[in-house]
Amino acid sequence: MNKQLKIILAVTAVSAICGLILGAAYNQTREAIAEAERADFLAGLSEVLPPYDNDPDKDAREIKGTTVYEAKIKGKPSGYAAVFSSGKGYGGHIYVLVGMDAEGKVSGVAVLKHKETPGLGDKISGKDFLGVFKGLSEPGLIAVKKDGGIIDQFSGATMSPRAVADAVSRALEFMRDNFISEEKR
Amino acid sequence: MSGLMLLFVGAALVNNVVLSRFLGICPFMGVSKSSETALGMSAAVAFVMMISSVVTWIIEYAVLRPWELGYLQTVVFVLVIAALVQLVEMVMEKTTPELHASLGIFLPLITTNCAILGVALINVQSDYSFIEMIVFSLGTAAGFGLALVLFSGLRERISFSSVPEIFRDAPIAFITAGILALAFMGFSGLVR
Amino acid sequence: MRLSSLTDGIFKNNAIFKQMLGMCPTLAVTTSASNGVAMGLATTAVLMGSNFAVSLFSGFIPKNARIPCYIVIIACFVTVVDLYMNAYFHALHKALGLFIPLIVVNCIVLGRAEAFASRSPVADSVLDGLGTGIGFTIALTALAVCRELVGAGTVFGYAVAPSFYVPVILAVLPPGAFVFLGFMMAFTRFMSSKIKGGGH
Amino acid sequence: MLAPVIVMLSVGFAAGVCLAAASRFFNVERDWRLDAIASCLSGANCGACGYPGCASFAAAVVKGEVPVNACPGANAAAVEKMAAVMGTEAPAPAEKRAVVLCGGGRKASDRYEYRGPKDCAAMSALMGGVKNCSFGCVGGGSCALVCPTGAINMSESGLPDISAELCIGCGLCVSECPRCLITLKGADERVSVLCSSRDKGPETRKYCSSGCIGCGICVKVCPEGAIAVDDFLASIDSSLCTSCGKCVEKCPVSAISFLKIR
């Protein structure tokens, strides 16, 4: 009998100890991780949004299920940003942070999370690719050349840039509809 | 229904767990010397993969998500898989001793078989429903079995051909696997 | 405390070329040299830690329950490393994030734990972990450099190949991984047979 | 803080219970003698005992189907240990070692320059064989390839060098050699004629410097009369031979020599 008991005891004890260690480690690192991720996100925001003097992630608003971060200068809204994702990526979902200035033009794009093939699709997080989106104001035009847009895809990897373009155009369209009043559009 | 079929074909052929996701290569290379062990191994892997996917899916949605213990995911999944493999090893030792002997070291290695943990994690991370999870695991197990049996057939043929000294056994096996992977790449684009 | 447990892991008993373990990350990760190095170092850290923990507890764990216990210890160790790295070395974690869960299912770690650590003293186990880790890193980086050079014309991200060279994308894709590893294994076997004085 | 510990505890406990239950129901009662016997065997699964592997040979021994010394690879110590496990007294070990009956190799001249797969069957079939001597070893190394314990490796002299320690007498090389040059010799046979050429003396002399020319000096000099020459080839009767070594000294071409003992 004691052979079986020893097995139960051993597995349970080891698991419990590991649970304890993990719980402690998680608690100890929880704030630090949240802090680091927030800093990361803020860095992404500042890169994407035009200059601002408020805390965009605090002035966030929920519109139709999407959180939109608002950038302000002395109280006057100077830009908006939102996270959009596209499932059309080669490796799966691609999460993109898109920034728009007060006139409804793209002020910056950053790729937050993607699982594209390293060395191939992951060029989408490169500065030169994302720079292409800056200044565009027509959501319809934002697509890869193959699909009639103006964004040029990389050789050997069309799915990743197409997914990013799709996410950016949807984000721009969403923000323009909600924030840019009729006459400026 | 067609969505599920696409999911199955996608898991089995398009992103085959071994040839394009690179999961489960160690047993794939180790056991594919003869096709009976290959069949035995893919049956064992399929069995463990199915049960572990179901159990891990239930644990994820019943325990880990409500109590937001996301960080425990890897440890709990691995524990479940390891216990299952140990179970399969004992059952096999009792019921089919010769197959157990021929699988040898590779039976415990199923535990670290990246394919099984990989499938469990993918099921959870891509938020598959219960049915989708079952179909995905079945597809992946079928893909693993297909690749393994095909490859063991190839390797049996290779052992008869005269291979230069330095390429014998492992290197030529990898190069053949590369060509097989190339063939499987033909499936990409079949499912989008 | 035999030094051989360190040097074994690097040449004589190299994880990838001789033991043929840890193939999954080897093929998946070596698309760029920096990934290769990062994965190698992360695996070395985990290998040393888990060998240490396994050889410490191996006395209490009965034979039938050895695999679940060892793999839980390894997974726990990997998750702790992941958490702390995410908290305090966030930039490094963003680069490595994808690879750390891969280490749990890396056959080398459990392979060494079960084959070596559970049967030898703590000091030897840690040394073996270090040796195997270094051997793994060297092999991984070598493979990664070759694949990146052919596949993207760059090494560690710096463009090296002459301008007219058109990178062969296949080297970075799955089939290329298998083929490159096959040739590399043949090459190391060729070298070791040369060093051993050209056996028959 | 408690949540993770509770979760891990319960999952661990559940896994432990399943494992414990499984280890009880699926418990395979293994006869302790099986492992004890298997540990004395070389584990090379060579099949010389007629069983598909050491595990099934051990099972046969435990069932008493086969005597303890039926494994040619088991040396005296191993046979004694197995006898102790089985409770029978230890019979004489049937320890056998492979020996190559040819002393030529590089010393024998080549008929032509051979370029092709390194395989004895091919090398000895092509136009009467690579060597001018149509009886001797062609040095293809097929015996080395087939040896389960790696006891044979081709030496510089062009002949297979069989290490007495590693050789377990499984006989796989005997059946592999196309010219049947390898035989299994017991521990008691200490001296042997390392040549198989049945050509006339001057013939043999022409193509091999250490081939037996059938001169018969060894027959005259052997005190026990254990040596006889037929078809110009000397052969030693091991039952009469006391391994005094006189023939080894007197042989003009040193074709007779002592065998390496364990």
Side-chain angles (χ1 to χ4, degrees):
Chain A
M1 180 45 201
N2 77 345
K3 191 161 100 60
Q4 275 78 37
L5 203 61
K6 233 165 149 249
I7 291 177
I8 300 179
L9 218 61
V11 178
T12 318
V14 168
S15 316
I17 294 169
C18 287
L20 200 67
I21 297 172
L22 283 174
Y26 180 68
N27 280 351
Q28 223 218 343
T29 58
R30 197 201 322 230
E31 306 81 23
I33 292 180
E35 182 47 39
E37 248 143 38
R38 186 170 172 280
D40 232 14
F41 190 56
L42 265 182
L45 273 182
S46 62
E47 197 191 304
V48 157
L49 280 170
Y52 55 83
D53 57 10
N54 65 333
D55 263 341
D57 60 346
K58 289 203 174 57
D59 299 352
R61 278 186 295 158
E62 273 290 316
I63 300 169
K64 301 196 200 90
T66 325
T67 50
V68 178
Y69 305 92
E70 217 177 328
K72 295 195 183 78
I73 299 180
K74 299 189 197 65
K76 202 159 70 53
S78 68
Y80 307 88
V83 175
F84 267 70
S85 81
S86 149
K88 295 206 187 87
Y90 181 76
H93 285 276
I94 300 180
Y95 294 87
V96 176
L97 175 66
V98 181
M100 183 187 76
D101 58 20
E103 285 79 31
K105 290 207 293 309
V106 175
S107 56
V109 177
V111 174
L112 296 181
K113 213 165 76 181
H114 71 84
K115 287 189 229 121
E116 296 311 89
T117 359
L120 237 179
D122 69 356
K123 293 200 190 77
I124 50 173
S125 38
K127 282 277 167 293
D128 36 36
F129 171 69
L130 295 172
V132 164
F133 293 99
K134 277 213 177 69
L136 299 180
S137 57
E138 253 324 302
L141 285 179
I142 301 177
V144 278
K145 284 212 171 70
K146 254 192 196 164
D147 308 347
I150 48 170
I151 315 289
D152 45 29
Q153 66 273 10
F154 326 131
S155 61
T158 46
M159 271 191 270
S160 325
R162 172 184 288 140
V164 172
D166 161 49
V168 170
S169 73
R170 275 191 286 116
L172 189 66
E173 199 173 355
F174 177 82
M175 284 191 276
R176 280 171 66 89
D177 297 350
N178 291 296
F179 294 100
I180 308 300
S181 49
E182 232 14 83
E183 85 300 342
K184 262 206 218 105
R185 206 170 299 159
Chain B
M1 185 50 206
S2 73
L4 292 184
M5 264 315 291
L6 280 183
L7 190 62
F8 182 87
V9 168
L13 299 178
V14 179
N15 22 43
N16 182 289
V17 70
V18 176
L19 296 171
S20 62
R21 285 190 201 272
F22 293 128
L23 293 172
I25 305 276
C26 308
F28 180 73
M29 276 302 158
V31 164
S32 50
K33 292 235 170 34
S34 79
S35 25
E36 315 87 42
T37 45
L39 271 175
M41 178 60 140
S42 23
V45 164
F47 174 71
V48 173
M49 196 182 269
M50 281 313 301
I51 308 240
S52 68
S53 299
V54 170
V55 172
T56 45
W57 190 84
I58 292 169
I59 293 181
E60 171 73 15
Y61 284 97
V63 174
L64 295 187
R65 289 259 164 112
W67 293 6
E68 338 104 17
L69 295 167
Y71 60 95
L72 279 186
Q73 211 174 47
T74 323
V75 185
V76 169
F77 281 13
V78 143
L79 176 59
V80 167
I81 293 172
L84 267 173
V85 169
Q86 192 76 47
L87 221 64
V88 166
E89 187 178 2
M90 289 180 201
V91 169
M92 253 195 178
E93 202 168 359
K94 176 82 174 175
T95 47
T96 57
E98 342 62 54
L99 189 58
H100 178 263
S102 62
L103 282 183
I105 167 79
F106 285 100
L107 210 53
L109 270 192
I110 295 186
T111 328
T112 70
N113 184 336
C114 342
I116 297 187
L117 181 63
V119 166
L121 286 174
I122 293 170
N123 279 334
V124 163
Q125 274 151 11
S126 15
D127 307 329
Y128 281 145
S129 70
F130 193 78
I131 318 273
E132 281 167 347
M133 176 270 292
I134 297 266
V135 167
F136 181 76
S137 311
L138 263 178
T140 314
F144 183 81
L146 178 68
L148 191 58
V149 171
L150 271 179
F151 190 54
S152 64
L154 283 175
R155 276 189 84 166
E156 269 168 12
R157 285 301 303 269
I158 297 172
S159 55
F160 294 126
S161 54
S162 71
V163 173
E165 179 85 25
I166 53 174
F167 275 94
R168 213 159 272 160
D169 196 17
I172 194 68
F174 270 102
I175 295 171
T176 323
I179 298 167
L180 194 60
L182 204 59
F184 266 69
M185 249 177 85
F187 289 123
S188 68
L190 181 70
V191 161
R192 176 62 348 254
Chain C
M1 180 73 150
R2 286 169 299 105
L3 199 57
S4 71
S5 47
L6 177 68
T7 51
D8 266 2
I10 299 176
F11 301 109
K12 204 156 67 65
N13 201 358
N14 183 295
I16 293 181
F17 298 126
K18 293 292 182 305
Q19 293 178 34
M20 283 243 315
L21 288 177
M23 289 299 147
C24 313
T26 315
L27 296 163
V29 140
T30 51
T31 45
S32 77
S34 44
N35 289 0
V37 174
M39 181 64 182
L41 296 179
T43 313
T44 310
V46 170
L47 253 168
M48 287 167 65
S50 76
N51 272 7
F52 172 77
V54 164
S55 64
L56 214 61
F57 290 114
S58 60
F60 317 104
I61 297 171
K63 178 190 163 305
N64 259 344
R66 68 190 189 300
I67 297 177
C69 293
Y70 291 162
I71 200 83
V72 164
I73 294 173
I74 294 169
C76 167
F77 197 85
V78 167
T79 317
V80 166
V81 164
D82 187 20
L83 284 174
Y84 274 96
M85 200 189 244
N86 197 358
Y88 303 113
F89 305 96
H90 197 63
L92 186 60
H93 182 264
K94 253 167 67 173
L96 278 179
L98 192 64
F99 310 132
I100 294 186
L102 269 182
I103 300 178
V104 172
V105 289
N106 189 332
C107 313
I108 301 179
V109 184
L110 184 69
R112 292 316 293 172
E114 190 169 317
F116 193 88
S118 57
R119 296 193 185 86
S120 30
V122 178
D124 273 297
S125 305
V126 175
L127 265 182
D128 171 76
L130 182 62
T132 316
I134 295 174
F136 182 60
T137 310
I138 294 172
L140 213 58
T141 317
L143 185 60
V145 163
C146 296
R147 281 186 66 195
E148 186 184 1
L149 188 61
V150 170
T154 62
V155 174
F156 281 99
Y158 301 105
V160 160
S163 57
F164 58 86
Y165 171 73
V166 175
V168 177
I169 303 285
L170 192 67
V172 185
L173 289 177
F178 282 111
V179 172
F180 266 74
L181 186 57
F183 278 108
M184 186 144 242
M185 276 186 159
F187 179 69
T188 43
R189 201 178 280 183
F190 175 71
M191 291 308 293
S192 62
S193 74
K194 269 282 166 294
I195 297 161
K196 256 206 241 106
H200 228 288
Chain D
M1 177 44 196
L2 225 46
V5 180
I6 296 169
V7 167
M8 284 302 287
L9 200 82
S10 42
V11 175
F13 182 74
V17 166
C18 298
L19 284 178
S23 76
R24 175 120 52 77
F25 294 128
F26 297 105
N27 193 335
V28 181
E29 320 79 19
R30 284 178 65 82
D31 185 333
W32 69 275
R33 290 182 300 187
L34 271 181
D35 299 335
I37 297 230
S39 58
C40 326
L41 301 173
S42 67
N45 296 334
C46 67
C49 55
Y51 288 89
C54 296
S56 26
F57 173 71
V61 168
V62 167
K63 287 203 204 75
E65 284 162 13
V66 78
V68 173
N69 64 354
C71 167
N75 53 28
V79 169
E80 251 134 48
K81 228 161 88 184
M82 285 198 272
V85 165
M86 291 302 290
T88 58
E89 85 305 328
E95 205 181 323
K96 284 225 177 336
R97 292 300 161 271
V99 171
V100 180
L101 300 180
C102 169
R106 290 263 188 288
K107 290 196 217 114
S109 62
D110 287 351
R111 200 191 294 267
Y112 47 76
E113 193 205 329
Y114 174 79
R115 210 175 273 132
K118 285 190 84 57
D119 171 71
C120 292
M123 290 165 89
S124 47
L126 196 60
M127 281 178 50
V130 169
K131 301 279 178 185
N132 282 313
C133 167
S134 52
F135 301 92
C137 167
V138 290
S142 300
C143 52
L145 275 182
V146 92
C147 175
T149 59
I152 311 178
N153 28 55
M154 299 306 292
S155 63
E156 263 53 40
S157 66
L159 286 168
D161 156 38
I162 302 179
S163 102
E165 288 71 29
L166 289 174
C167 174
I168 56 170
C170 65
L172 289 177
C173 52
V174 174
S175 47
E176 182 70 19
C177 178
R179 292 190 162 173
C180 312
L181 291 171
I182 309 180
T183 59
L184 291 179
K185 287 214 180 295
D188 45 5
E189 295 158 277
R190 295 284 322 296
V191 180
S192 155
V193 176
L194 293 186
C195 179
S196 314
S197 160
R198 283 184 166 55
D199 287 340
K200 290 189 187 55
E203 214 30 54
T204 314
R205 200 85 194 101
K206 249 200 269 106
Y207 54 67
C208 180
S209 59
S210 74
C212 166
I213 49 177
C215 61
I217 295 177
C218 51
V219 178
K220 298 188 196 67
V221 89
C222 173
E224 313 298 329
I227 307 179
V229 171
D230 41 44
D231 283 352
F232 309 101
L233 177 62
S235 62
I236 303 173
D237 179 348
S238 57
S239 52
L240 303 173
C241 168
T242 59
S243 50
C244 59
K246 286 208 177 43
C247 56
V248 178
E249 289 143 28
K250 285 288 180 289
C251 175
V253 291
S254 64
I256 312 177
S257 69
F258 282 103
L259 296 179
K260 283 183 281 181
I261 49 164
R262 186 183 285 279

